[in-house]
Amino acid sequence: MKVLGIETSCDETGVALYEHGRGIVAEALASQAAVHAQFGGVVPELASRDHISKLAPMVCTVLDDANSSLEELDAIAYTAGPGLIGALMVGGALAESLALGLGIPAIPVHHMEAHLLACLLERDPPEFPFLALLVSGGHTQLVEVRELGRYRIVGETLDDAAGEAFDKVARLLSLPYPGGPALAALADGGDAERFAFPRPLKNRGLDLSFSGLKTAVRLTVEAERKTHGGELPDSVRRDLAASFQEAVVDTLASKCVQALDATGLSRLVVAGGVGANRQLRATLAELGARGGADVHYPRPSLCTDNGAMIAYAGACRQSAEAAPAHRIIARPRWPLDELTPP
Ligand code: KG4
Ligand code: ZN
């Protein structure tokens, strides 16, 4: 049983082939970082155009690498949301039209469900139920995952997502897009205790907030600029990055502890682009080692956007959600807890 996965929700084009019993047999990823870097963020129209030019050749490459062909596919999964509408339409249009031509089902996949299932592709996968910390560019949620498709959001950000905060603070520190990985690299070797940034809503329920933290960093950057006559010295930039990262990681880790306690769950799964952050992974691993939870996170390349997680999520839902009508589904907004089990 072979499922092709297509990811085009934002600024990465991802394609992968999943085979039951074998796992991911081939995959390809194209980053649009160079396309958007000069604008300091994702330009939706440029994202759509880049997906258009890259996607079909990447499908051919993946099938070639897997020694397979379109005719051998049993289904085609694609990201149907949430994401940028134009970018979603590119993947949806190719997936639905290929599936129509081949007479096989196309499977619309929820991008955040794919993120939270990605760790099941790893060797020692967690069993249901578990608590998922979903931290991406657009989402920051704590989700009680009872089984495939049964999700209860127990906490989420009231304003910025964690990834968005990384990206905005990176811009304040004049780092290039994409900001999260650049900020994490700058924080390496910085003094995380130099600036005492707030831990918003730390002991107040399971919701999160990052916009106040971002403002605190902005005000500190402005004050430090004045002190240093305009330009921030590298050592100050490093310490600002490390102190900010520490505040985010500390906040996320403490919310995870509270959410594990509130739900009675003993397994924690970290998913989404910010899950690639080394400091976050180390802090949560330490929490696990202290007996707080059985902590799982996929390798960094499965945390950030990729085609493998879409192929896998599609395979999980294959039998139940085959869409014979071949209607392109593209939902810019799509609450995770609207999903039901297959
Ligand atoms: O899941 P993802 O690849 O795309 C979305 O679904 O949004 O997440 C992207 C987000 C971006 O905000 C990016 O800056 C952040 O994840 N990110 C990181 C790291 N790698 C990616 N943030 C902190 N540290 C990283 N190493
Ligand atoms: Zn994502």
Side-chain angles (χ1 to χ4, degrees), residues 7 9 111-112 115 136-137 272-273 303-306 309:
E7 156 63 30
S9 67
H111 182 84
M112 299 313 292
H115 269 306
S136 70
C303 286
T304 44
D305 289 350
N306 64 85
M309 67 181 191

Side-chain angles (χ1 to χ4, degrees), residues 134-174:
L134 279 180
V135 271
S136 70
H139 290 75
T140 295
Q141 297 179 322
L142 286 155
V143 186
E144 181 183 37
V145 179
R146 300 311 310 183
E147 60 174 321
L148 178 73
R150 264 185 69 205
Y151 309 124
R152 187 168 72 92
I153 294 163
V154 296
E156 64 187 323
T157 183
L158 303 176
D159 39 56
D160 291 352
E164 192 179 353
F166 264 93
D167 295 337
K168 287 178 175 170
V169 168
R171 219 171 305 156
L172 287 173
L173 297 177
S174 316

Side-chain angles (χ1 to χ4, degrees), residues 42-326:
V42 179
V43 182
E45 178 60 20
L46 296 183
S48 313
R49 291 181 195 197
D50 200 68
H51 287 308
I52 288 172
S53 65
K54 302 262 171 64
L55 185 56
M58 284 171 66
V59 169
C60 297
T61 305
V62 165
L63 291 172
D64 279 353
D65 289 351
N67 267 328
S68 194
S69 64
L70 284 174
E71 289 68 31
E72 288 178 20
L73 296 178
D74 296 288
I76 302 180
Y78 66 97
T79 304
L84 301 171
I85 182 74
L88 292 169
M89 287 296 291
V90 176
L94 185 68
E96 291 285 2
S97 44
L98 275 178
L100 177 65
L102 294 165
I104 58 175
I107 309 163
V109 167
H110 192 294
H111 182 84
M112 299 313 292
E113 175 176 63
H115 269 306
L116 75 78
L117 296 177
C119 67
L120 302 181
L121 281 166
E122 294 292 12
R123 217 176 273 154
D124 181 22
E127 283 173 23
F128 295 115
F130 55 76
L131 177 77
L133 171 67
L134 279 180
V135 271
S136 70
H139 290 75
T140 295
Q141 297 179 322
L142 286 155
V143 186
E144 181 183 37
V145 179
R146 300 311 310 183
E147 60 174 321
L148 178 73
R150 264 185 69 205
Y151 309 124
R152 187 168 72 92
I153 294 163
V154 296
E156 64 187 323
T157 183
L158 303 176
D159 39 56
D160 291 352
E164 192 179 353
F166 264 93
D167 295 337
K168 287 178 175 170
V169 168
R171 219 171 305 156
L172 287 173
L173 297 177
S174 316
L175 291 165
Y177 164 87
L183 189 136
L186 181 66
D188 264 352
D191 176 3
E193 286 176 14
R194 172 148 173 202
F195 299 101
F197 290 131
R199 272 62 170 160
L201 305 181
K202 186 162 179 185
N203 294 312
R204 279 188 279 153
L206 297 179
D207 284 336
L208 301 103
S209 160
F210 290 106
S211 92
L213 170 59
K214 177 195 64 193
T215 305
V217 177
R218 183 172 52 75
L219 295 175
T220 309
V221 166
E222 285 166 8
E224 288 291 319
R225 277 224 172 92
K226 263 195 202 134
T227 309
H228 295 280
E231 281 290 301
L232 288 179
D234 277 348
S235 63
V236 176
R237 291 173 72 238
R238 270 202 300 276
D239 295 348
L240 282 164
S243 303
F244 163 77
Q245 178 174 260
E246 180 78 10
V248 174
V249 168
D250 186 27
T251 304
L252 291 174
S254 111
K255 292 289 173 178
C256 286
V257 172
Q258 291 173 63
L260 286 164
D261 197 41
T263 55
L265 293 167
S266 59
R267 278 178 288 265
L268 172 67
V269 163
V270 187
V274 183
N277 184 273
R278 274 198 291 140
Q279 176 80 17
L280 178 64
R281 296 165 82 91
T283 303
L284 294 177
E286 206 180 297
L287 185 132
R290 286 203 310 267
D294 181 13
V295 181
H296 294 255
Y297 31 74
R299 74 197 78 163
S301 60
L302 280 176
C303 286
T304 44
D305 289 350
N306 64 85
M309 67 181 191
I310 305 302
Y312 179 67
C316 291
R317 288 191 167 269
Q318 183 179 357
S319 47
E321 284 180 28
H326 290 297

Side-chain angles (χ1 to χ4, degrees), residues 149 151 331 334-340:
Y151 309 124
R331 295 186 60 178
W334 189 0
L336 181 66
D337 50 4
E338 274 185 15
L339 295 179
T340 52

